[in-house]
Short mmCIF file of all heavy atoms in Angstrom, two decimals:
data_model
loop_
_atom_site.label_atom_id
_atom_site.label_comp_id
_atom_site.label_asym_id
_atom_site.label_seq_id
_atom_site.Cartn_x
_atom_site.Cartn_y
_atom_site.Cartn_z
N PRO A 777 109.82 81.65 115.25
CA PRO A 777 108.58 82.01 114.56
C PRO A 777 107.71 83.03 115.32
O PRO A 777 106.87 83.68 114.69
CB PRO A 777 107.83 80.69 114.41
CG PRO A 777 108.47 79.78 115.44
CD PRO A 777 109.89 80.22 115.55
N TYR A 778 107.94 83.17 116.61
CA TYR A 778 107.12 84.10 117.39
C TYR A 778 107.83 85.42 117.68
O TYR A 778 107.32 86.26 118.42
CB TYR A 778 106.68 83.44 118.70
CG TYR A 778 107.82 82.91 119.56
CD1 TYR A 778 108.48 83.73 120.48
CD2 TYR A 778 108.24 81.59 119.46
CE1 TYR A 778 109.50 83.27 121.27
CE2 TYR A 778 109.28 81.11 120.23
CZ TYR A 778 109.89 81.93 121.13
OH TYR A 778 110.92 81.45 121.91
N VAL A 779 109.01 85.65 117.12
CA VAL A 779 109.77 86.88 117.37
C VAL A 779 109.64 87.84 116.22
O VAL A 779 109.76 87.47 115.06
CB VAL A 779 111.27 86.54 117.62
CG1 VAL A 779 112.13 87.81 117.58
CG2 VAL A 779 111.44 85.85 118.96
N ASP A 780 109.37 89.10 116.56
CA ASP A 780 109.33 90.17 115.58
C ASP A 780 110.72 90.78 115.49
O ASP A 780 111.14 91.55 116.37
CB ASP A 780 108.30 91.23 116.02
CG ASP A 780 108.18 92.38 115.00
OD1 ASP A 780 109.00 92.46 114.08
OD2 ASP A 780 107.24 93.18 115.17
N SER A 781 111.46 90.45 114.46
CA SER A 781 112.86 90.86 114.35
C SER A 781 113.01 92.35 114.08
O SER A 781 114.14 92.86 114.10
CB SER A 781 113.55 90.07 113.23
OG SER A 781 112.93 90.31 111.98
N THR A 782 111.92 93.04 113.85
CA THR A 782 112.01 94.50 113.66
C THR A 782 111.87 95.25 115.00
O THR A 782 112.02 96.47 115.03
CB THR A 782 110.90 95.00 112.73
OG1 THR A 782 109.61 94.83 113.35
CG2 THR A 782 110.94 94.24 111.41
N ARG A 783 111.59 94.50 116.05
CA ARG A 783 111.43 95.13 117.38
C ARG A 783 112.25 94.37 118.40
O ARG A 783 111.78 93.50 119.12
CB ARG A 783 109.95 95.13 117.80
CG ARG A 783 109.05 96.01 116.93
CD ARG A 783 107.64 96.08 117.50
NE ARG A 783 106.95 94.81 117.40
CZ ARG A 783 105.99 94.40 118.24
NH1 ARG A 783 105.65 95.17 119.27
NH2 ARG A 783 105.38 93.24 118.06
N MET A 784 113.55 94.68 118.43
CA MET A 784 114.47 93.99 119.34
C MET A 784 115.24 95.01 120.17
O MET A 784 115.67 96.05 119.67
CB MET A 784 115.44 93.10 118.57
CG MET A 784 114.76 92.02 117.73
SD MET A 784 115.89 90.77 117.06
CE MET A 784 116.92 91.78 115.99
N GLY A 785 115.40 94.71 121.46
CA GLY A 785 116.19 95.54 122.36
C GLY A 785 117.17 94.69 123.13
O GLY A 785 117.00 93.46 123.24
N ALA A 786 118.19 95.31 123.70
CA ALA A 786 119.22 94.58 124.44
C ALA A 786 119.51 95.29 125.75
O ALA A 786 119.43 96.52 125.84
CB ALA A 786 120.49 94.46 123.60
N ALA A 787 119.83 94.48 126.75
CA ALA A 787 120.13 95.01 128.07
C ALA A 787 121.20 94.17 128.74
O ALA A 787 121.24 92.94 128.57
CB ALA A 787 118.87 95.03 128.94
N GLY A 788 122.08 94.82 129.52
CA GLY A 788 123.14 94.08 130.20
C GLY A 788 123.75 94.90 131.31
O GLY A 788 123.61 96.12 131.35
N ALA A 789 124.43 94.20 132.23
CA ALA A 789 125.06 94.86 133.38
C ALA A 789 126.51 94.45 133.50
O ALA A 789 126.90 93.33 133.12
CB ALA A 789 124.30 94.50 134.66
N SER A 790 127.32 95.35 134.03
CA SER A 790 128.76 95.13 134.25
C SER A 790 129.42 94.88 132.88
O SER A 790 129.37 95.76 132.01
CB SER A 790 128.95 93.97 135.21
OG SER A 790 130.27 93.96 135.70
N TYR A 791 130.05 93.69 132.66
CA TYR A 791 130.54 93.45 131.30
C TYR A 791 129.38 93.49 130.31
O TYR A 791 129.53 93.94 129.17
CB TYR A 791 131.26 92.10 131.19
CG TYR A 791 131.58 91.77 129.76
CD1 TYR A 791 132.73 92.25 129.15
CD2 TYR A 791 130.70 91.00 129.00
CE1 TYR A 791 133.00 91.99 127.81
CE2 TYR A 791 130.95 90.74 127.65
CZ TYR A 791 132.12 91.23 127.08
OH TYR A 791 132.37 90.97 125.75
N GLY A 792 128.22 93.01 130.75
CA GLY A 792 127.04 93.11 129.88
C GLY A 792 126.73 94.55 129.50
O GLY A 792 126.30 94.83 128.38
#
Side-chain angles (χ1 to χ4, degrees):
Y778 56 87
V779 168
D780 182 349
S781 61
T782 67
R783 294 186 292 152
M784 300 191 297
S790 196
Y791 172 84

